[in-house]
Amino acid sequence: MAKKVTRQVNAEIFDFSELDATEQSLVSQARQAVSNAYAPYSNFHVGSVVLLANGEKIQGSNQENAAYPSGLCAERVAIFSAGANYPDEAIVKIAIAAKPAKANDYVMASSCGNCRQAMMEYQSKQSSEIELLFVQPNDQIMKTTVRDLLPFGFDSESLLKFQP
Ligand code: THU
């Protein structure tokens, strides 16, 4: 008889005005970062900002390439930049905003699987949760966590326990 295994995932949707000042400024910066995207192939412009434990904010945007797989999503541009420049600072929150060239409002960009995996890696490296803030249309913000995005994820614990 099969055993049922379930994972509950959670997210909350807030109005921008309900966020605290730190989150509002993080989200505003993610919206601004959208304009730095280099996305001539998809025209899907994404901005992302990482908030570190020391209060520093690291910005990223998607950077595309004529050889498509050589490009990178906004989230990983920001996360890797944070990891490279502040290797000992924990990531507290990441805000993500996206605006296709022809759109009048922001659209939800639910991070791709590779970005979710990269987020999970840094979360397990620092052993503290990373909160995610996704900009949605009409000034709505969806708050969730990396574990909620990748409930059955593979992380360092899955690997390192088998090291000699
Ligand atoms: N993209 C991101 O930067 N973040 C996401 O969460 C979703 C997708 C980028 C990758 C590519 O440059 C373009 O959006 C279309 O997929």
Side-chain angles (χ1 to χ4, degrees):
M1 185 60 172
K3 190 175 139 212
K4 194 169 175 183
V5 180
T6 54
R7 290 275 191 287
Q8 196 187 346
V9 300
N10 297 297
E12 288 177 290
I13 299 184
F14 294 89
D15 195 80
F16 178 81
S17 61
E18 295 176 291
L19 301 179
D20 67 27
T22 305
E23 290 180 343
Q24 285 194 356
S25 95
L26 198 67
V27 165
S28 300
Q29 201 175 322
R31 284 174 163 145
Q32 284 163 22
V34 168
S35 58
N36 291 346
Y38 173 60
Y41 306 105
S42 71
N43 287 310
F44 192 82
H45 297 200
V46 188
S48 174
V49 182
V50 167
L51 174 67
L52 298 176
N54 66 0
E56 201 79 38
K57 295 196 195 100
I58 313 295
Q59 194 167 303
S61 52
N62 54 332
Q63 300 295 317
E64 296 187 348
N65 195 288
Y68 287 12
S70 301
L72 201 60
C73 296
E75 292 92 322
R76 275 175 291 159
V77 169
I79 294 166
F80 293 161
S81 173
N85 291 293
Y86 298 91
D88 300 323
E89 286 299 323
I91 296 173
V92 183
K93 294 172 198 277
I94 307 173
I96 298 125
K99 203 169 185 208
K102 283 188 182 155
N104 299 318
D105 196 0
Y106 295 90
V107 299
M108 170 77 175
S110 186
S111 303
C112 79
N114 282 314
C115 287
R116 293 174 190 211
Q117 187 66 33
M119 289 169 184
M120 177 160 281
E121 181 66 28
Y122 286 84
Q123 180 166 282
S124 75
K125 176 188 169 208
Q126 68 191 38
S127 6
S128 60
E129 277 224 319
I130 299 174
E131 198 168 72
L132 304 170
L133 298 161
F134 289 98
V135 174
Q136 300 197 320
N138 300 313
D139 234 14
Q140 305 286 288
I141 311 297
M142 188 179 101
K143 245 200 234 196
T144 189
T145 69
V146 173
R147 190 48 78 183
D148 286 301
L149 283 194
L150 203 53
F152 285 100
F154 183 84
D155 64 8
S156 60
E157 222 176 280
S158 329
L159 187 65
L160 296 177
K161 65 182 173 202
F162 297 109
Q163 294 297 302

